[in-house]
Amino acid sequence: MTIASTPTRAELRPLERPRFVWAIADALTLAKRNLVQIPRIPEELIFATIQPVMFVLLFRYVFGGAIAGTGTTYVNYLMAGIFTQTVIFGSTTTGIGLANDLQRGLVDRFRSLPMAKSAVLTGRTLSDLVRNTFVVLVMWVVGLLVGFQPQGSPLAWLAAVGILLLTSFAFSWISATIGLAVNTVEAAQSAGFIWLFPLTFASSIFVPTKTMPLWLRGFAEHQPVSVIANAVRGLLLNQADPTTVWAAVGYCVAMLVIFVPLAVRAYGNRAAR
Amino acid sequence: MANRPAIFAEGLYKRYGKTQALAGLDLQAEAATVLAVLGPNGAGKTTAVRILTTLLRPDAGHAEVAGLDVVKQADQLRARIGLAGQYAAVDENLTGFENLEMVGRLYHLAGRVARQRANELLARFDLADAAKRTVKTYSGGMRRRLDLAASLVMTPPVLFLDEPTTGLDPRSRLGMWDIISGLVSDGTTVLLTTQYLEEADQLAHSIAVVDHGRVIASGTADELKQQVGGERFEITVARGGDLTDAMNALRPYSVGEIQLEAERRHIIVPVVNGAHQLAAVVRDLDTAHVPLEDLALRRPTLDEVFLTLTGQPATSDATDNAAPDARPLARSNA
Ligand SMILES: Nc1ncnc2c1ncn2[C@@H]1O[C@H](COP(=O)(O)OP(=O)(O)OP(=O)(O)O)[C@@H](O)[C@H]1O
Ligand SMILES: [Mg+2]
């Protein structure tokens, strides 16, 4: 039952809170806004999940026999890679969502409100993090169904998930920068994806890099996606190598250090157009 | 504060690439009045609104809203203004209620207050029945009303409405006019842009006609009408009547130059207070034996004001379900 009541003039005033509290509260308000929409457009999440599931099934059963020399079962090798690929591809929704908000004039509304400026970006990257967490869980279940057997301690697995989420968050900021730099949602979509293909395929996600031609190996072994995939794989399969794990964390932090300010600046420039 | 105008802009310039969107725009609105910014497509109305609502920085010039500088005090200013932009900025995948609640939270209202306020506004804007539906299912007019509701969450002292009634049906348009008048009598200052002369005539205390990024005329509707010529008698002399006799009979009433279109036998006499002189004019023409085909006292409409000022006709190629008596101004963008 609701009692129809109207706020008085005195109540219709902003609450007094320190700035940083508002920066968090506003980000959460916008993250909530993004999250409640997910079940209302189920197609989007379903396709975002079907795609990595398809990769798992294809690579597991089509290439699984041909790809050897991974030192473990191929499905165990593959799952760590697929997790990495999934969160990286999943992070492209950040840029698409922002481009959408710009195109539909919502950013103008937000900018005319006395809210924290950062909240549009932090709210979006946070909700995409939550969404990606969900997709990782679904993938974990799918993995178990097709024979994935994580080794070692659950604490290490948790650390692996932690690295995946950090990766998701870092790539979200890159995606945000791209989404704010281009003019349309369609452009955000293609520009957000295209550079990820070489980065994810010329990596240790699907196959060990030592099978690649020499000129490619140099790149494939050291680029961030491989390092992250290797770190996750180590933690899931009880072969963790601290150097790789810290290198993966370092890459993510470096991406954040570079792209958070770039995204914030792109947001400022974009909105002032 | 007392005599400070609620909206004050001086010499605003804004350039987009090769387009000079604003070229020295000046605006002024006293507190608790409606300022209508009237102009054809591309005149710079939206650009001006975006600068005054802190969304855009001017290249040059100075503007204050509610006593706050729109550039230097932008953060403080945002708590004191409401904006409904030209295109409804509401989230399609949220319900009407969720949209308003979110805006309330972003204005930093307490959760309970934000929810109460959302319901109150939904009722006021005739959206209570649709409150729990996602905006995707709303009609264009419903979105527009929701957008306006969102701009009123805080009953801001200064409200900016960019073409608030474009796309509304006649009933919703009248409803909107009522709401705007109500806000103004409660002390809100409103700047609205419009292409409907009727709307400016009805609502505005003052009107600024904008073209090519600057104000080309301003004042009350009456002042603008006066400025382009005021009242006149328009007389058509029937066949057989003598035009010279007619001119002689009319001359005492004229306050300016009498225009004669001999072919159409049409005479235009600028006058003041024409209504009081009508009977005398008819009598004098009769005495002079001038037979009349037609005699009318005319005041210029805002359409004519607009035509005279911008050299652009006010056409009526309505692109939406506009009120039949509201005429949009259109112009092919140069
Ligand atoms: N972001 C932009 N980039 C480039 N040019 C722009 C931009 N925004 C506006 N303009 C140009 O600036 C001029 C003024 O535009 P503005 O939107 O202020 O006009 P308006 O009076 O609101 O027109 P309308 O009645 O069509 O809404 C136009 O010539 C327009 O093309
Ligand atoms: Mg406009």
Side-chain angles (χ1 to χ4, degrees), chain B residues 236-237 239 243 247 259-267:
Chain B
T236 311
V237 179
R239 240 159 248 298
L243 290 174
M247 298 273 281
Q259 288 175 49
L260 170 67
E261 289 173 47
E263 258 164 58
R264 288 174 53 213
R265 312 181 64 77
H266 200 68
I267 302 169

Side-chain angles (χ1 to χ4, degrees), chain A residues 11 33 37 40 108-109 272, chain B residues 50 56 83 91 112 147:
Chain A
E11 285 180 313
R33 161 209 169 217
Q37 307 195 0
R40 293 181 193 168
D108 272 1
R109 156 127 293 141
Chain B
R50 287 174 59 84
L56 201 63
L83 163 68
D91 195 321
R112 179 184 59 84
D147 192 47

Side-chain angles (χ1 to χ4, degrees), chain A residues 1 23 92 102 106 112 133 139 156 162 185-186 192 196 210 227 250 257:
Chain A
M1 205 186 92
T92 57
L102 275 167
L106 279 165
S112 75
T133 311
M139 294 309 299
V185 177
E186 291 72 23
L196 291 176
K210 60 176 179 270
V227 173
V257 167

